Amino acid sequence: MSEQQTNSFTSVLSINPYTNEYVSGISSFLAPEKSPEYSKEQFVTSYLNTKSYINNQIELSKNIPDEDLSFAIENKVYEELALDMAIEYNIQFIESGHQVDEKERYFHVFIVDPLTMDETFEASVEKIKYIDQIVPVPLLLKGLYQREIVTEVGVHCYIYFQDNDAFFTIYNDQEFVYTKSLKYSIKMMHERFC
């Protein structure tokens, strides 16, 4: 993306697709947005709960050139996870910061069924037309390190509860390592114990 395109956003709109809540951010100020509308000067971001995607780690040979990574990762994911070949999953990946073997590269992959994406973001896309970025919710914790809210290095474990989701995530030396969806969301605990 060119520098001119990067600086063209005047605001950020964050979407919670599970509650249809919107938050607008301009400079360092955040405010709830009651009736969001499409604007090409606005960067729109959202997230996916851990129950909405498959997360796995794969390894590939270091001999695979970077321009072939997407294709190689997609093939390996379909093969290792025995995914339905009739479905064109949305597969995104990040390289692990911690390499164990000198001959291999390790990647965290996030796999989403396109039907899940459509159902989750249908109401939001009707209002604002386009979402620039959708992030798996455990990767949002990376912002704690980028904004220097957490400055220590070492292993950090996060357990996060939401109304309809809960997850456990590990970061090591400020890099994502692992995440696991947990069974007991706030709603499920309320139904079970109250």
Side-chain angles (χ1 to χ4, degrees):
M1 184 179 280
S2 72
E3 189 174 321
Q4 184 179 12
Q5 289 175 324
T6 305
N7 295 331
S8 65
F9 297 118
T10 57
S11 65
V12 174
L13 182 68
S14 178
I15 301 169
N16 181 337
Y18 304 99
T19 61
N20 287 321
E21 293 176 342
Y22 301 84
V23 175
S24 178
I26 300 173
S27 186
S28 296
F29 302 99
L30 300 175
E33 184 71 46
K34 299 286 186 213
S35 54
E37 294 179 0
Y38 170 77
S39 169
K40 63 182 177 180
E41 290 85 26
Q42 172 175 265
F43 184 82
V44 181
T45 185
S46 191
Y47 68 94
L48 275 172
N49 280 341
T50 55
K51 291 176 175 40
S52 299
Y53 61 86
I54 301 167
N55 175 35
N56 202 3
Q57 185 172 348
I58 63 166
E59 59 186 57
L60 290 175
S61 169
K62 284 192 174 181
N63 296 331
I64 296 173
D66 286 346
E67 59 269 8
D68 295 333
L69 273 180
S70 292
F71 181 73
I73 287 173
E74 185 174 318
N75 285 339
K76 185 114 180 187
V77 164
Y78 271 91
E79 178 186 314
E80 283 190 5
L81 300 178
L83 297 177
D84 185 351
M85 298 297 277
I87 299 174
E88 190 175 332
Y89 293 92
N90 183 339
I91 301 171
Q92 299 295 318
F93 60 90
I94 57 172
E95 188 163 6
S96 174
H98 301 282
Q99 302 297 329
V100 180
D101 187 353
E102 292 180 11
K103 297 178 182 178
E104 303 290 326
R105 293 171 74 179
Y106 296 87
F107 296 89
H108 299 286
V109 291
F110 303 90
I111 304 128
V112 184
D113 186 322
L115 185 60
T116 300
M117 294 286 281
D118 291 344
E119 290 171 353
T120 303
F121 296 100
E122 182 177 19
S124 300
V125 170
E126 282 180 19
K127 288 183 180 182
I128 56 163
K129 310 293 182 229
Y130 186 80
I131 300 173
D132 295 292
Q133 179 183 42
I134 299 172
V135 178
V137 72
L139 295 183
L140 292 176
L141 296 170
K142 179 79 171 166
L144 295 173
Y145 303 106
Q146 292 169 335
R147 301 283 299 201
E148 296 180 353
I149 295 169
V150 177
T151 57
E152 299 88 19
V153 293
V155 178
H156 297 114
C157 171
Y158 300 94
I159 299 175
Y160 192 85
F161 292 94
Q162 294 174 292
D163 288 343
N164 293 312
D165 191 31
F167 64 90
F168 164 82
T169 295
I170 298 173
Y171 276 74
N172 186 16
D173 294 333
Q174 303 185 354
E175 294 295 326
F176 172 79
V177 174
Y178 177 78
T179 192
K180 172 99 172 114
S181 180
L182 300 175
K183 182 178 179 181
Y184 291 102
S185 65
I186 293 173
K187 184 177 179 182
M188 185 175 241
M189 285 190 289
H190 180 268
E191 289 171 357
R192 183 166 179 152
F193 299 115
C194 295

